[in-house]
Amino acid sequence: MRKKSKLCLTVTEPTIKEAVAVVDRYKKNLDMVELRADYLADDEIGYASAFPRLAGIGEVILTIRREIDGGKFRGGEGDRVNLFNRALKGDFSFVDLESDFFNEPLERKIRDKNIRIIRSLHYFKGLPPDMSSVVNDLAHNGKNIPKLAVYPKSTEDLLKIFLLSKEFKGREKIILGMGDYGISTRILAEYLGNYLTFVSSPGNSAAPGHIDIEKVEKIYRFKELDETTKILGVIGNPIMHTLSPLIHNTGIKAIGVNAVYLPFMVDKPAAFMKLAEEIGITGFSVTVPHKVSIIRFLDSVDDSVKKIGACNTVYKRNGKWFGTNTDADGFIGPIKNLLKRNGNNLKASVIGAGGAAMAVVYALWREGISFLVLNRTVEKAKRLGNQFGGEWAGLDEIGARRMKDFNDLIVQATKVGMEPDENSDPFPMYKFTGNEIVYDLVYKPEVTKFLERARSAGCRTIGGKEMLFEQAKRQFKIFIGRDFPLIDLEL
Ligand code: ATR
């Protein structure tokens, strides 16, 4: 039986002392450490041999990575051989040697000392041709642990990495994808049958896409994942800023189910659907820009998707893909009590006419609340207003006046005010009376300029994090089949 994938901290400190301190901090969660001696200062690198003893951790990899392979070592190969020879006086368990590095005396010495060679190829241009032969060559008939680090540039590339791993199932290997497209290959090391996964200390990423050890442990529960773990995720582009993995994985951890929720950078939804089938993904969230384009890949969608024209939740039941949209319910969540108190006597305004506004307008329509849509491009406000039997206006003087008749609830559904545009206000012409309830869907920053202005006028305000959390809770119920646990979640 193959041993479980190990968690290996890559240490990139400039001194041995600092390197040891980092290992000490994370020791209890680590299986191995990789000393990136190329990061050591010139007057420290000569003491690399002392590191394994001082670090006091079972297994240490010695790596002196050249610049062309993504490292910092600038010297010639003769210097590197000398440094390896000096460092190997220490008790290292593995040495990383690149695929084009050959030095018979050094390799003999490494073998004589019973040190394993990790034979590596770092390919930054994408995927190298004929990856199977590359891995076979690196493995050298099982003598070495082959490490192939590629740089997937598309979802199709990511799929190829998973297929390659399948080809080498049961064999010792490290096959990983760098960069945003490759994140899942680092977290799913156990699924891929990788010997180890590399992590960094927070803020010290040693390679593109390295995840930090705190996230890997606390959010992704690396050690608990196995081949039977239910795989969920979120697709989008960009994707690394999303808070969804934090929300879902925190819920998963709290109720103790064997599942993990990953960020998937996706360029083409078609390729992701192939990947989902290949690795057995059973549910995923959908974010910008795929909420509309995903629909044609689904077997069926519910009314919310049909009316909003966008899908944010996909799940599999009896071998078929279903789509729903939890944004409308998620939007209503934080104002449920308000609606209960006021019935549909409320009059609401929605600023914006894009995808987010569409879900809001659909929710208001479903609740029987009359509304006014205001948008910079008036034509779009008109279209959305008419579609759901509401009023419409532009973001101008006339709009500001009309909004006074629809101001019990004001919903800000554009991106204006979102980082890095924190100083913008989508509708400065409108002066709050202090009686409005103002709901801004932007969640970064937590209090937008628009909300700040509303607060100063005395309005009750609701920030975008509430909707984000509410829509995620509904997805969680669909994906996991249980209610999101009652926990305090700091987003
Ligand atoms: P989303 O799916 O997040 O709603 P979207 O579909 O691109 O994103 O819609 C963006 C919304 O923000 C639109 O209503 C857009 O107005 P236009 O239809 O006139 O483009 C609005 N928006 C973007 N930038 C804006 C700005 N500077 N001022 C006012 N509205 C803006």
Side-chain angles (χ1 to χ4, degrees), residues 398-414:
I398 302 172
R401 246 178 284 134
R402 296 203 55 204
M403 199 153 115
K404 288 196 177 125
D405 295 328
F406 289 86
N407 67 358
D408 298 318
L409 173 68
I410 296 175
V411 185
Q412 198 301 107
T414 74

Side-chain angles (χ1 to χ4, degrees), residues 197-210:
T197 216
F198 295 100
V199 290
S200 319
S201 54
N204 268 334
S205 180
H210 251 218

Side-chain angles (χ1 to χ4, degrees), residues 121-142:
L121 177 67
H122 296 79
Y123 196 84
F124 290 92
K125 284 188 296 195
L127 306 188
D130 199 2
M131 293 197 291
S132 307
S133 314
V134 173
V135 176
N136 272 322
D137 288 349
L138 294 171
H140 198 35
N141 297 322

Side-chain angles (χ1 to χ4, degrees), residues 288 291 351-358 374-378 380 395 412-416 418 421 424-426:
V288 178
K291 286 186 178 186
I351 300 173
M358 198 98 110
L374 303 107
N375 196 46
R376 180 179 60 180
T377 312
V378 187
K380 279 167 73 183
L395 288 173
Q412 198 301 107
T414 74
K415 293 191 178 73
V416 182
M418 178 158 68
D421 179 36
S424 300
D425 184 325

Side-chain angles (χ1 to χ4, degrees), residues 177-213:
M178 297 184 274
D180 289 356
Y181 279 105
I183 294 294
S184 54
T185 65
R186 297 187 184 274
I187 299 166
L188 296 178
E190 184 63 26
Y191 178 95
L192 289 156
N194 276 342
Y195 188 84
L196 59 78
T197 216
F198 295 100
V199 290
S200 319
S201 54
N204 268 334
S205 180
H210 251 218
I211 317 172
D212 84 54
I213 178 158

